[in-house]
Amino acid sequence: MILDTINKANDIKNVPIEDLPRLASEIREFLIDHISRTGGHLASNLGTVELTMAMHLSFDLPEDKLVWDVGHQAYTHKLLTGRKEEFDTLRQFGGMSGFPKRRESDCDCFDTGHSSTSISAGLGYVKARDLAGGTNYVVSIIGDGALTGGLAMEALNNAAENKSNFIIVLNDNNMSISPNVGAISSLLTGIRGDNAYRDINDNVKSSLKKIPVYGDKIVSQVQKAKSGIKQLFLPGMKFEDMGLTYLGPVDGHDIGKLCKMFKIAKKMNTSVIVHVITEKGRGYEPARLRPERFHGVSPFDVTTGKPIAASKTTYTEVFSRKICEMASRDNKIVAITASMASGTGLTRFQKRFPLRFFDVGIAEEHAVTFAAGLAAGGLKPYFAVYSSFLQRAFDEILHDVCIQQLPVVFMIDRAGIVGSDGETHQGIFDYSYMNIIPGMTVMAPKNRLELMDMMEFANSYDGPVAIRYPRGAVSDIFSDFKEEICYGRAEHIYDGEGTAILTIGASIEEGAQVYDKLKARGENPSLINARFENPVDTQLIAELAAKHDRLLTIEENIGAGGFGMNVLRAVNENGYDIKVINASLPDEYIPHGGVSKLKEAYGFTADAIIEKLDSSRGIL
Ligand SMILES: Cc1ncc(C[n+]2csc(CCOP(=O)(O)OP(=O)(O)O)c2C)c(N)n1
């Protein structure tokens, strides 16, 4: 195995050129074998094997900097930088992350997970290098999907003014997770099109001539090599017009051509885009044919491509069906996704109501202000979005939706600990950042039925509402309890005395376990499903204070600024005579791992919560 000879950065440079295609095949086999067992990002990684090899052949790590966008496609980079053995622990607690991590390797120069950051970060590296008089190369690798993000556009706008070498590799596979959308995608499709493949022409010459000293020489060499670098050509003029140098498109599976292109790019004294065409899922037919399904996968059978574990009904699925049912009755309902139609369950809506469905690209900030405009125009927009990705749209939620009290519904999926994607993807901040925006109503269902009831409630409510629900299988806990939803009112599950357990959303599970354990040791606590994080049910808290000596709040979110804080404030401000104990996740970034392992490690289990309760009572 050639892969056995690669144990640290730059080892690939010792592999004979004729063996590189075999190494690419071995890497693909390795990735398919390992990801089929651990789960992870497959299709994108299969598409970047040769591109990564070519970059490792063309640059010197760790001195040169490779800044990956999103970072989900950096598995080959990890393999080529001495982390082969760690693949068995991919995305597991204490194991190797699925994204670049500076703490993991000096070859990972920037932590990522969210989209469209690489050009900004890369440009920062460029300026830091230039100010220090350094000579290393900086390469940002961004996908065509990530290029639709506003941050990437802001960065390009800035990078166009740069007068030193900065290489931006545009990894174009014509796909975001789903097929890419919008004008950027059309622009790239145009460039990729038939008439794009021409021989060298004047425009390329002008690009090449920008290379100091060597430019003219390269032009004449390229002209001599008739079929040499055939794909250097004109169509990147749109980028050139912006002030960026454009090279490409180049076949992203041809290592020789890629290396030649990088050789040229290294000579430019500008920001240069190297446009690379790759195929998602290359080398594994199920992933090549259905790249969307193989974007992020749980363990699967390599022969059939089918997942090993049987799928269960998820909250996403419940949302997916319910929104269609509601939209069939109410033609004001429209749905928005920021490039996550399948992940958020909106594919069904897209098929049934194509004119009322909007995929805006990886553009959460735009999605929110767009939703505000739709609402101001008389519609009822539902923006379905993962908790961690909505973080970027904080100002738009405040400035465009809430100040104007526009009736936008935020369906916040993947809230709480999501597990194996780690720090960047845990949905543990939304109770805090949504909570502090005046005029925002924040709800969370205890089970699947309540999610549907909350959606009906949100539809009838004339103002901004957020409903947050977790990743994974639905719960049917306490499905016999279905009091009608009243604005700002909680739901009593069990009435008792002494300790009142007040849970929000999915943490009813931990609350019920705490309840059972306290009961088992002879106590008679109350259990309440808060339903509303904001506004908090002050009337209920007053009633509880009369009969209980302790209020235990439970929320799957960091402690700062969330539900527990609201309860504590209500108690303080009204002078209620009751002690409040807040159980939450710690105010920390939670790494990757299985959800239950993480809950254990970060003290979010019934036992850990009872321990906290007991220590507040002086019971050790
Ligand atoms: C802010 C943000 N929104 C959504 C996502 C989810 N996401 C991860 S990868 C991806 C698609 C990226 O497409 P592209 O950049 O073309 O990379 P490819 O996977 O096609 O190689 C999306 C939408 C994210 N990581 N960050």
Side-chain angles (χ1 to χ4, degrees):
M1 290 270 283
I2 304 166
L3 194 52
D4 292 339
T5 66
I6 298 202
N7 298 306
K8 59 181 182 325
N10 303 311
D11 277 357
I12 189 173
K13 291 176 178 155
N14 302 324
V15 176
I17 291 179
E18 62 277 13
D19 285 347
L20 291 173
R22 225 177 86 209
L23 177 60
S25 303
E26 287 178 13
I27 291 174
R28 283 204 169 81
E29 269 166 39
F30 182 97
L31 293 177
I32 295 163
D33 174 46
H34 278 77
I35 299 170
S36 72
R37 286 186 277 121
T38 58
H41 288 97
L42 183 62
S44 314
N45 279 299
L46 291 177
T48 49
V49 173
E50 290 86 0
L51 171 60
T52 311
M53 289 169 66
M55 288 192 297
H56 279 253
L57 288 163
S58 304
F59 299 97
D60 297 319
L61 271 63
E63 292 76 25
D64 294 336
K65 307 296 172 198
L66 302 184
V67 186
W68 296 91
D69 209 288
V70 184
H72 63 305
Q73 73 294 54
Y75 290 8
T76 300
H77 166 78
K78 293 198 179 216
L79 260 181
L80 298 181
T81 49
R83 283 171 273 179
K84 204 169 30 193
E85 307 308 328
E86 274 93 278
F87 267 80
D88 284 333
T89 68
L90 180 65
R91 291 154 44 99
Q92 290 157 27
F93 187 49
M96 185 171 73
S97 166
F99 294 92
K101 287 273 177 256
R102 283 149 59 99
R103 63 163 188 261
E104 208 177 273
S105 163
D106 59 0
C107 295
D108 291 2
C109 68
F110 201 77
D111 287 15
T112 49
H114 288 195
S115 170
S116 317
T117 63
S118 65
I119 305 178
S120 304
L123 188 59
Y125 259 113
V126 165
K127 295 296 170 196
R129 171 199 66 197
D130 295 348
L131 287 172
T135 54
N136 62 298
Y137 292 100
V138 179
V139 186
S140 294
I141 306 103
I142 185 164
D144 55 302
L147 194 65
T148 63
L151 181 57
M153 290 297 130
E154 293 169 30
L156 277 184
N157 185 47
N158 197 186
E161 292 183 337
N162 173 51
K163 299 280 178 285
S164 63
N165 188 270
F166 176 28
I167 300 171
I168 300 164
V169 173
L170 172 54
N171 169 29
D172 179 7
N173 52 28
N174 204 14
M175 292 285 290
S176 190
I177 292 179
S178 318
N180 204 5
V181 295
I184 299 283
S185 174
S186 309
L187 168 74
L188 298 178
T189 303
I191 295 177
R192 264 185 259 113
D194 276 344
N195 70 359
Y197 285 88
R198 300 178 204 163
D199 272 341
I200 182 144
N201 58 38
D202 289 346
N203 298 69
V204 177
K205 279 187 236 159
S206 69
S207 283
L208 292 174
K209 280 182 172 174
K210 287 184 201 160
I211 302 172
V213 189
Y214 301 101
D216 287 338
K217 208 168 141 205
I218 293 176
V219 170
S220 77
Q221 274 175 0
V222 169
Q223 279 171 328
K224 268 187 235 148
K226 280 191 193 138
S227 61
I229 309 171
K230 197 169 165 188
Q231 291 161 5
L232 287 172
F233 70 107
L234 136 95
M237 279 312 289
K238 291 270 180 341
F239 291 107
E240 292 271 340
D241 287 348
M242 283 175 72
L244 298 152
T245 301
Y246 173 92
L247 293 174
V250 57
D251 178 351
H253 301 293
D254 185 326
I255 295 174
K257 282 188 183 151
L258 285 164
C259 288
K260 276 184 197 156
M261 205 58 112
F262 289 132
K263 206 166 166 192
I264 296 171
K266 281 163 96 167
K267 303 221 155 81
M268 301 281 177
N269 271 343
T270 56
S271 298
V272 49
I273 293 189
V274 179
H275 186 182
V276 175
I277 308 296
T278 59
E279 183 183 40
K280 240 173 153 162
R282 191 175 176 98
Y284 179 55
E285 274 311 271
R288 200 182 66 80
L289 297 174
R290 301 180 66 190
E292 186 167 346
R293 201 164 83 63
F294 283 88
H295 181 84
V297 284
S298 49
F300 62 93
D301 177 333
V302 177
T303 327
T304 62
K306 298 227 165 82
I308 286 164
S311 67
K312 296 186 180 141
T313 305
T314 59
Y315 280 99
T316 306
E317 175 75 15
V318 172
F319 158 71
S320 171
R321 290 181 187 282
K322 181 68 183 172
I323 186 134
C324 287
E325 185 245 302
M326 286 167 56
S328 65
R329 286 185 269 121
D330 180 350
N331 62 13
K332 292 218 176 313
I333 290 180
V334 292
I336 305 161
T337 179
S339 205
M340 301 294 291
S342 63
T344 58
L346 280 178
T347 314
R348 177 177 281 115
F349 188 98
Q350 177 180 19
K351 285 195 187 119
R352 281 195 58 187
F353 309 99
L355 297 179
R356 290 153 66 186
F357 166 82
F358 305 99
D359 181 350
V360 299
I362 310 180
E364 288 79 5
E365 301 99 307
H366 160 64
V368 172
T369 304
F370 172 58
L374 287 165
L379 294 171
K380 186 83 185 185
Y382 283 69
F383 177 30
V385 57
Y386 289 10
S387 167
S388 77
F389 303 149
L390 186 60
Q391 282 161 201
R392 346 191 108 167
F394 180 79
D395 182 57
E396 286 78 3
I397 300 170
L398 188 155
H399 179 272
D400 299 319
V401 176
C402 288
I403 291 181
Q404 304 180 77
Q405 281 297 287
L406 289 164
V408 174
V409 182
F410 295 89
M411 299 302 301
I412 307 184
D413 199 335
R414 307 304 200 265
I417 295 182
V418 298
S420 41
D421 281 333
E423 287 94 331
T424 53
H425 285 60
Q426 310 290 10
I428 58 174
F429 303 99
D430 56 275
Y431 276 147
S432 311
Y433 69 77
M434 295 305 260
N435 183 34
I436 60 165
I437 304 178
M440 171 61 77
T441 297
V442 186
M443 314 171 78
K446 67 177 182 296
N447 63 20
R448 88 163 94 189
L449 294 174
E450 205 163 79
L451 173 60
M452 295 191 273
D453 290 348
M454 285 184 174
M455 288 174 67
E456 292 281 1
F457 176 84
N459 208 38
S460 65
Y461 183 72
D462 189 21
V465 176
I467 304 176
R468 74 106 83 165
Y469 44 98
R471 173 174 187 259
V474 289
S475 165
D476 286 317
I477 193 167
F478 299 130
S479 46
D480 294 340
F481 292 78
K482 36 189 168 199
E483 273 172 36
E484 200 187 323
I485 296 182
C486 297
Y487 189 78
R489 297 309 313 268
E491 178 190 47
H492 285 257
I493 305 285
Y494 299 127
D495 286 325
E497 74 265 320
T499 300
I501 307 163
L502 204 51
T503 72
I504 178 87
S507 53
I508 189 88
E509 304 285 342
E510 284 77 17
Q513 288 168 25
V514 169
Y515 176 88
D516 288 343
K517 284 177 186 253
L518 294 184
K519 273 286 227 197
R521 68 187 204 194
E523 298 183 34
N524 184 28
S526 294
L527 180 62
I528 289 114
N529 165 30
R531 284 184 166 167
F532 288 79
E533 184 210 12
N534 195 354
V536 74
D537 189 344
T538 318
Q539 191 182 324
L540 169 92
I541 295 172
E543 285 161 25
L544 294 175
K547 274 177 59 194
H548 301 77
D549 55 15
R550 238 147 261 272
L551 257 179
L552 170 66
T553 67
I554 309 181
E555 66 189 305
E556 198 175 322
N557 191 80
I558 59 164
F563 172 62
M565 184 197 75
N566 289 357
V567 172
L568 196 54
R569 274 181 75 182
V571 167
N572 280 347
E573 283 170 12
N574 293 292
Y576 299 139
D577 181 21
I578 190 162
K579 186 167 170 87
V580 178
I581 298 107
N582 296 140
S584 68
L585 296 165
D587 295 346
E588 285 175 37
Y589 299 106
I590 295 188
H592 53 275
V595 173
S596 45
K597 274 237 165 78
L598 289 171
K599 283 189 174 177
E600 227 166 82
Y602 286 84
F604 200 73
T605 59
D607 286 338
I609 293 169
I610 289 176
E611 214 174 290
K612 189 166 185 184
L613 178 71
D614 285 349
S615 74
S616 80
R617 299 195 279 197
I619 307 173
L620 295 175

